[in-house]
Amino acid sequence: MTSQRPPQPTWWAERFAIIRRYDEMESRLTASVSERMLDLACLRPGMRVLDVASGMGEPSLRAAQRVGPPGFVLGTDLSDGMLEAAREKAQAQALSNIEFRVADAETLEVPEQSFDAATVRWGLMYMPRPDRALERLWQALRPSGLMVCACWAGPEQVEYATLPRKAVVRFRPLPPVEPDAPSVFRFSDPEQLRTLLTRSGFTMEHVESMHVPVMEAADGAGVVRWIYELGGPVAKLVKELSPEEQRAWEEEVARESERYRTGGKVLLGGVTWLVVARKVGV
């Protein structure tokens, strides 16, 4: 789950090894989302696919397998470190029909009408100007081309993000969430996205939801470790607590995580929307 705009380049340098360590787990757990996105994009051999916010290669690598040697996939992301890991995967899978390029989705430059389909998995909600990214995607797609994006549902349906935040509220008020600011829940209501898509020249054709885990751990302590190591906003808030409050927060997160134990492991994830939009006009 990558952001289109990381705080600073040094952030990736410090966190890349940790993110990479969890990549196998996340790719395995979220494979169903990637595969369903490609189903909805109606990929066929020979098609050209543009994947924005590719991170370490989801779902672009799977798209390259589907379109085969006659097709082509371009994966873009802001982090070359993330894309380097994706390139390594492509090489290991002997995929020669895929390219990974460092690019900002909001200023992406590709030939007009050069792609049959586009995908954006958990990236659009983090962009400062998603309307600009959608305009670029519209330009890149051929007439009637499909775009499929994944965005998280509301806080009560996305436990991986909400559980650690709720535990912090016991000790510190959380900063208010601006509805139009980049965040996990920016497009938790698909109707918000419909408005944006319409203004960008798309028509929303289909919306569906699915629940998907993004992490697994042997116990609650493993969940706490995952939160700390990824170093997101909640981890930063927790580090500002007193030692006693930190211990209490860790205990609550570990305890609440047990509610999500399945088959001998704790699985945290959430409900994601899958939105299919078609380019209209010429």
Side-chain angles (χ1 to χ4, degrees):
M1 293 170 293
T2 63
S3 167
Q4 266 289 297
R5 287 189 182 274
Q8 294 291 338
T10 54
W11 187 90
W12 286 120
E14 295 170 355
R15 297 296 176 186
F16 181 65
I18 295 172
I19 294 172
R20 189 163 186 165
R21 186 164 72 246
Y22 285 114
D23 176 59
E24 184 280 329
M25 174 187 74
E26 183 181 327
S27 295
R28 171 170 46 82
L29 294 175
T30 64
S32 59
V33 173
S34 291
E35 296 291 353
R36 183 56 181 158
M37 290 179 69
L38 302 183
D39 289 342
L40 293 171
C42 301
L43 295 194
R44 302 183 305 276
M47 292 180 69
R48 291 174 57 85
V49 182
L50 174 60
D51 181 42
V52 169
S54 297
M56 295 190 186
E58 291 285 352
S60 48
L61 291 165
R62 298 175 189 273
Q65 294 172 345
R66 291 210 186 190
V67 300
F72 173 73
V73 177
L74 174 62
T76 70
D77 200 275
L78 282 179
S79 168
D80 193 44
M82 301 281 273
L83 293 180
E84 187 56 38
R87 294 184 189 105
E88 292 175 7
K89 293 179 184 179
Q91 184 175 10
Q93 296 175 31
L95 294 172
S96 59
N97 62 339
I98 189 167
E99 175 189 343
F100 291 102
R101 184 186 307 172
V102 176
D104 187 330
E106 297 175 15
T107 58
L108 180 63
E109 295 185 4
V110 296
E112 293 187 8
Q113 299 187 16
S114 57
F115 291 92
D116 301 294
T119 52
V120 192
R121 197 187 87 152
W122 297 324
L124 197 64
M125 63 271 197
Y126 292 118
M127 299 177 191
R129 291 293 305 271
D131 55 328
R132 292 181 178 175
L134 289 173
E135 289 168 5
R136 295 286 177 168
L137 287 168
W138 187 93
Q139 292 173 357
L141 285 172
R142 291 170 177 155
S144 297
L146 290 177
M147 183 198 67
V148 182
C149 66
C151 296
W152 291 108
E156 296 306 316
Q157 297 174 285
V158 185
E159 65 272 9
Y160 91 85
T162 302
L163 187 153
R165 288 173 60 87
K166 283 184 175 180
V168 172
V169 173
R170 286 183 51 197
F171 312 103
R172 294 287 187 279
L174 292 173
V177 177
E178 299 180 20
D180 294 327
S183 73
V184 174
F185 305 117
R186 189 177 190 175
F187 296 120
S188 58
D189 180 357
E191 289 305 309
Q192 293 175 292
L193 191 53
R194 183 191 298 274
T195 301
L196 195 61
L197 287 166
T198 301
R199 289 204 304 262
S200 302
F202 289 93
T203 180
M204 186 186 292
E205 291 196 340
H206 175 75
V207 179
E208 67 183 51
S209 65
M210 61 188 301
H211 187 280
V212 58
V214 299
M215 71 84 59
E216 64 182 12
D219 51 30
V223 175
V224 172
R225 184 166 55 253
W226 175 75
I227 295 168
Y228 276 139
E229 289 187 342
L230 289 184
V234 172
K236 182 179 179 181
L237 289 172
V238 172
K239 290 178 180 178
E240 296 173 356
L241 302 177
S242 69
E244 293 76 15
E245 290 171 331
Q246 287 185 32
R247 285 194 293 272
W249 175 85
E250 292 170 1
E251 291 171 359
E252 181 168 345
V253 169
R255 182 173 60 253
E256 289 298 308
S257 295
E258 289 297 327
R259 295 169 48 203
Y260 300 94
R261 180 173 291 280
T262 303
K265 291 184 178 180
V266 175
L267 294 170
L268 292 185
V271 172
T272 185
W273 295 111
L274 300 180
V275 176
V276 182
R278 186 179 299 274
K279 175 178 178 175
V280 294
V282 293

